[in-house]
Amino acid sequence: MLKRLAASAIAAASIFVAAADTPAEAAKAVPVPDYDFSFDGVFGTFDQMAKQRGFQVYREVCAACHGVRFIAFRNLMALGYSEEEVKALAAEYMVEDGPDENGDMFTRPGIPADRIPSPYRNEQEARLLNNGAYPPDLSLMAKKRKGGPDYIKALLVGYGEPPADVELMPGMYWNDYFPGHQIAMPEILFDGSVTYADGTEATLEQMSLDLATFLMWTAEPSMDQRKQTGISVMLFLLVFTGLMYAVKRKVWADIH
Amino acid sequence: MAFQSNNALVRWIDHRLPIFTFMNAELNEYPTPRNLSYMWNFGSLAGIVLVIMIATGILMAMQYTPHIDHAFDSVERIMRDVNSGWLLRYVHMNGAHFFFIVVYLHILRGLYYGSYKAPREILWMIGVVILLLMMATAFMGYVLPWGQMSFWGATVITNLFSAIPFIGPDIVVWLWGGFSVENPTLNRFFALHYLLPFVIVGMVFLHLWALHRFGSNNPLGIDAKGPQDKIPFHPYYTTKDLFGLGVFLLVFCAVVFFAPNYMGHPENYIQANPLVTPPHIVPEWYFLPFYAILRAITFDIGIPFTGIVLIDAKLGGVIAMFGAIAVLFVLPWLDRSPVRSGRFRPVFKQFFWLLLVALVVLGYMGAMPAEQPYVAISQIATAYYFAYFIVILPLLSILERPKPLPASISEPVLKGGGSVAGATAKPMEKP
Ligand code: HEM
């Protein structure tokens, strides 16, 4: 019957709308695996230590080329660092400030209120120092790419040799998960690239997982709070709706 | 019944400004058909969503910066640094999606049960005006966060106006306030995005005024024959609407708190860049059927065999897209069948469900690249959409033999035989 047809068309379309985002890119890119993250699902929260480890890898490896411009040092307290630790960390960076009373800009050690400085002053300088490629800011990376944190992790472990029939363009590297497969970012992360402060073994698997967790946090720092609030709201609404259903039944009882 | 109060102040005010009498008559005693189904919940839900949108919008406007260099960052600031800013923004962003879900269901309800027919034509037309205003508001709101889809969506849609013969290009420059989508464009979109929701509020009042003139239509589509067919709005429909609100909020909050970006496009978390075109410019889902109609017109319309083009494909697409809404304005005069409810119109019913299929197909095609076979499928669905209103409904008005109507709302004697008086109040419709 046509009504059923309409119903199934709607069901098919709603599944489809989720998948249809970028069909053209999907044709080029390999589907991203679904990794297990501490923050998956309704009850998942960020693993505090994973965030710290991810930040450590970011700082020691990725920060050479990528900024996280939406993150201030003070935000790092959400990773479990104390105020003293954050102050000390900020002071390791030099930050431009000014103008002073002579009208000159000057640099000073960072304070917790400063944003973490990005490695390049602007896109032009970034391109100049990266053979024309632009390492994008990572703060929102986990939200601006399809697959989010899964994509980031996949990208970091997805380097390899190109298939025999593909010739890489100069300065490009093969990556299984990058759209088009040729990426200007070299393979940068190897087993043991860092020595973790908490003693965890720094395998490529571990580091990429930690980085994806850290970058999910930079993209959505309020996620834990959001889900926590959500659970209370849902519980309240369940009670409210149940109550309203009972009231409605009671009120309507005299109509039949 | 006149309004009574024990409170002297209330009586004093009501004597001079009968606002309590008015509210009592329109919200308390207001006689409502006793057989409304849950499809009648979406009107009050739409009103509540409108209030939520205005409340969250105003609070965000206190932190938002309408400047191309700062808009994107100011939205991120709302997400990160403003107390509960992430909540405001996710409610507003997903509220727009749910607003359209609710209003589309509300409109489909009207289409199926013939709520647009006499004496509710003006009520229906005001509804169409509200839909247009909502679309304009949502389109301009989507530009405000100044992401890639914001910018390129604005560019594509404003460029449509260049299809207007002779003055088109000038109109586009006038809309932009410059020679491309630029800072003045963002500024005026913010100004209008703030203004239009209040115009919608005004329209909603007219909508309700017209509604209360004759009261709600109902699943049987017949007029109430007497007081036994009606029940007071309060407590019957207040409780039913509150229960519906609970169900709605459960779904809405599940999305807001656990999948807030599910319905959005990831590309809009990239700041607008006029130099980089996204691989795929797709509007939000609620515009997709209309976007598909726009792109379905790929041919020029002219005088055959002469090569004279009267309407080129681009203008044709724009006319079809706006026509898809304009046709709703004249719907009450296209469907002349005296029977309102689709329940008693066996043939109409089939075509109605086909219309829903066509709309879903169009929505699907709107998200696809403008290639074959998608274009051909869009053309077929577009043809059906217009045929439904312009050909099928007028013909059915003459050709269809409706089923016999029940004698009254409280006694649908024709419905399965031995039903007891009043039995219709309880069963909830499953159209
Ligand atoms: C008819 C009611 C309304 C609708 C359908 C609507 C729709 C939208 C949409 C779709 C967005 C983009 C959300 C995003 O993707 O980020 C938006 C943003 C915005 N709206 Fe509204 N809106 C409404 C009412 C209002 C009102 C009354 C205000 C008050 C000034 C307002 C202020 C804003 C602001 C400041 C933004 C930018 C922040 C953001 O992008 O989240 N809105 N609106």
Side-chain angles (χ1 to χ4, degrees):
Chain A
M1 196 182 142
L2 287 173
K3 184 172 155 188
R4 197 148 323 137
L5 181 62
S8 37
I10 291 175
S14 46
I15 297 167
F16 169 79
V17 164
D21 272 345
T22 43
E25 271 178 30
K28 282 186 264 153
V30 187
V32 172
D34 187 6
Y35 298 104
D36 277 335
F37 289 109
S38 55
F39 51 83
D40 280 343
V42 168
F43 298 102
T45 53
F46 285 125
D47 173 349
Q48 202 75 321
M49 291 319 290
K51 277 193 291 188
Q52 287 200 6
R53 287 195 300 270
F55 174 57
Q56 189 188 340
V57 190
Y58 164 74
R59 211 159 84 85
E60 293 179 16
V61 184
C62 321
C65 303
H66 294 281
V68 281
R69 71 186 180 96
F70 286 113
I71 302 298
F73 291 107
R74 67 182 162 81
N75 297 134
L76 294 172
M77 286 192 326
L79 267 52
Y81 295 114
S82 70
E83 200 172 334
E84 273 57 50
E85 285 172 309
V86 168
K87 269 191 187 145
L89 183 79
E92 288 177 25
Y93 290 78
M94 293 305 282
V95 180
E96 189 176 50
D97 201 348
D100 62 15
E101 55 272 29
N102 301 322
D104 297 323
M105 302 304 279
F106 59 94
T107 53
R108 56 159 177 79
I111 56 169
D114 290 321
R115 301 277 184 96
I116 298 179
S118 295
Y120 308 110
R121 280 174 300 168
N122 45 48
E123 183 175 337
Q124 284 73 4
E125 189 189 32
R127 286 193 189 277
L128 182 72
L129 297 173
N130 284 284
N131 297 320
Y134 177 49
D137 187 89
L138 292 182
S139 5
L140 280 168
M141 192 52 76
K143 271 159 87 175
K144 68 186 174 191
R145 292 284 184 275
K146 249 186 113 193
D150 292 314
Y151 169 72
I152 294 176
K153 169 156 170 37
L155 188 80
L156 293 172
V157 300
Y159 284 88
E161 287 302 314
D165 57 333
V166 174
E167 201 175 322
L168 290 176
M169 288 184 284
M172 295 301 236
Y173 306 85
W174 180 266
N175 190 298
D176 284 343
Y177 299 102
F178 188 69
H181 296 306
Q182 303 208 22
I183 185 168
M185 173 170 121
E187 183 171 13
I188 210 92
L189 213 52
F190 303 96
D191 285 336
S193 282
V194 301
T195 309
Y196 272 136
D198 67 356
T200 307
E201 196 190 338
T203 59
L204 178 59
E205 269 309 299
Q206 185 66 45
M207 288 183 297
S208 53
L209 200 73
D210 293 342
L211 267 171
T213 306
F214 171 68
L215 292 178
M216 189 66 231
W217 172 77
T218 61
E220 185 84 355
S222 50
M223 182 197 277
D224 283 354
Q225 194 198 351
R226 162 160 65 75
K227 289 185 187 169
Q228 231 168 31
T229 317
I231 291 167
S232 325
V233 168
M234 294 304 279
L235 286 176
F236 167 80
L237 284 175
L238 276 174
V239 174
F240 171 81
T241 310
L243 214 67
M244 281 308 137
Y245 183 63
V247 169
K248 190 251 161 193
R249 290 279 303 232
K250 188 106 207 297
V251 164
W252 281 73
D254 64 349
I255 289 285
H256 30 89
Chain B
M1 206 197 338
F3 175 72
Q4 308 284 334
S5 174
N6 298 328
N7 187 317
L9 180 63
V10 168
R11 279 201 307 272
W12 186 87
I13 295 176
D14 202 59
H15 184 66
R16 287 151 184 85
L17 174 73
I19 185 163
F20 295 101
T21 300
F22 175 80
M23 292 204 303
N24 180 55
E26 301 303 327
L27 298 173
N28 183 16
E29 289 172 3
Y30 173 59
T32 313
R34 57 193 295 155
N35 63 334
L36 297 188
S37 72
Y38 277 103
M39 282 310 287
W40 266 258
N41 274 53
F42 294 104
S44 72
L45 277 182
I48 293 168
V49 178
L50 177 61
V51 173
I52 294 176
M53 293 306 287
I54 292 180
T56 51
I58 291 178
L59 288 173
M60 276 203 297
M62 296 181 184
Q63 294 282 355
Y64 170 79
T65 311
H67 186 288
I68 53 170
D69 292 339
H70 304 292
F72 187 87
D73 284 19
S74 77
V75 171
E76 275 308 312
R77 220 182 87 75
I78 292 173
M79 294 294 289
R80 290 157 194 271
D81 292 339
V82 173
N83 289 333
S84 299
W86 57 270
L87 182 58
L88 290 178
R89 195 216 174 193
Y90 278 156
V91 167
H92 197 80
M93 189 170 120
N94 288 291
H97 292 285
F98 277 81
F99 204 0
F100 279 93
I101 293 177
V102 165
V103 165
Y104 282 161
L105 287 171
H106 187 67
I107 295 173
L108 286 171
R109 188 278 319 265
L111 285 175
Y112 184 80
Y113 292 108
S115 302
Y116 46 83
K117 294 184 187 182
R120 297 188 181 81
E121 299 95 324
I122 292 186
L123 170 60
W124 171 261
M125 290 161 81
I126 295 171
V128 180
V129 171
I130 293 175
L131 175 65
L132 276 172
L133 287 168
M134 267 177 71
M135 289 176 151
T137 308
F139 163 65
M140 289 188 275
Y142 193 62
V143 177
L144 301 186
W146 206 244
Q148 273 289 68
M149 281 297 157
S150 302
F151 177 84
W152 289 99
T155 303
V156 169
I157 300 300
T158 47
N159 259 315
L160 292 180
F161 290 89
S162 67
I164 300 170
F166 309 117
I167 51 170
D170 292 332
I171 289 192
V172 174
V173 170
W174 177 72
L175 286 175
W176 284 337
F179 297 100
S180 65
V181 174
E182 252 284 344
N183 199 46
T185 325
L186 178 59
N187 270 252
R188 61 195 53 197
F189 278 21
F190 182 52
L192 292 173
H193 185 71
Y194 208 137
L195 173 69
L196 290 189
F198 295 93
V199 180
I200 296 179
V201 170
M203 283 298 174
V204 168
F205 272 101
L206 292 182
H207 196 66
L208 289 177
W209 193 0
L211 171 72
H212 283 218
R213 181 83 175 85
F214 297 100
S216 294
N217 183 25
N218 67 80
L220 297 175
I222 55 176
D223 291 327
K225 296 279 172 347
Q228 74 279 9
D229 287 346
K230 296 219 171 184
I231 46 180
F233 191 77
H234 180 73
Y236 295 105
Y237 286 107
T238 40
T239 55
K240 192 171 173 182
D241 280 350
L242 278 174
F243 169 57
L245 175 66
V247 175
F248 169 81
L249 286 179
L250 275 170
V251 182
F252 178 57
C253 289
V255 174
V256 165
F257 288 102
F258 303 115
N261 293 304
Y262 177 75
M263 290 192 276
H265 201 292
E267 199 98 9
N268 224 28
Y269 281 106
I270 303 172
Q271 189 164 358
N273 185 346
L275 301 177
V276 179
T277 321
H280 240 72
I281 304 173
V282 224
E284 299 276 85
W285 68 267
Y286 38 81
F287 291 132
L288 288 178
F290 302 99
Y291 194 54
I293 291 176
L294 169 79
R295 297 191 306 171
I297 310 300
T298 50
F299 43 84
D300 298 335
I301 297 164
I303 303 167
F305 312 116
T306 57
I308 299 172
V309 174
L310 296 177
I311 299 173
D312 65 10
K314 188 176 177 189
L315 179 60
V318 174
I319 293 176
M321 183 174 71
F322 284 104
I325 306 234
V327 72
L328 295 175
F329 273 108
V330 286
L331 173 59
W333 295 275
L334 292 172
D335 181 1
R336 311 292 307 181
S337 169
V339 175
R340 290 198 194 103
S341 172
R343 195 184 282 184
F344 303 104
R345 302 185 60 192
V347 188
F348 162 88
K349 204 193 272 191
Q350 306 297 323
F351 284 111
F352 172 82
W353 292 115
L354 258 186
L355 176 72
L356 195 54
V357 173
L359 282 169
V360 172
V361 168
L362 281 170
Y364 183 102
M365 294 306 144
M368 293 281 99
E371 302 160 1
Q372 293 301 0
Y374 309 123
V375 174
I377 299 174
S378 310
Q379 287 169 343
I380 296 170
T382 304
Y384 181 76
Y385 180 90
F386 284 105
Y388 175 84
F389 293 107
I390 297 173
V391 182
I392 296 173
L393 286 185
L395 281 183
L396 283 186
S397 318
I398 309 166
L399 301 177
E400 185 183 38
R401 281 203 42 213
K403 292 193 209 157
L405 295 177
S408 81
I409 290 177
S410 52
E411 286 175 82
V413 281
L414 296 156
K415 215 189 152 193
S419 55
V420 197
T424 36
K426 169 94 188 312
M428 294 316 165
E429 301 296 330
K430 288 222 190 72

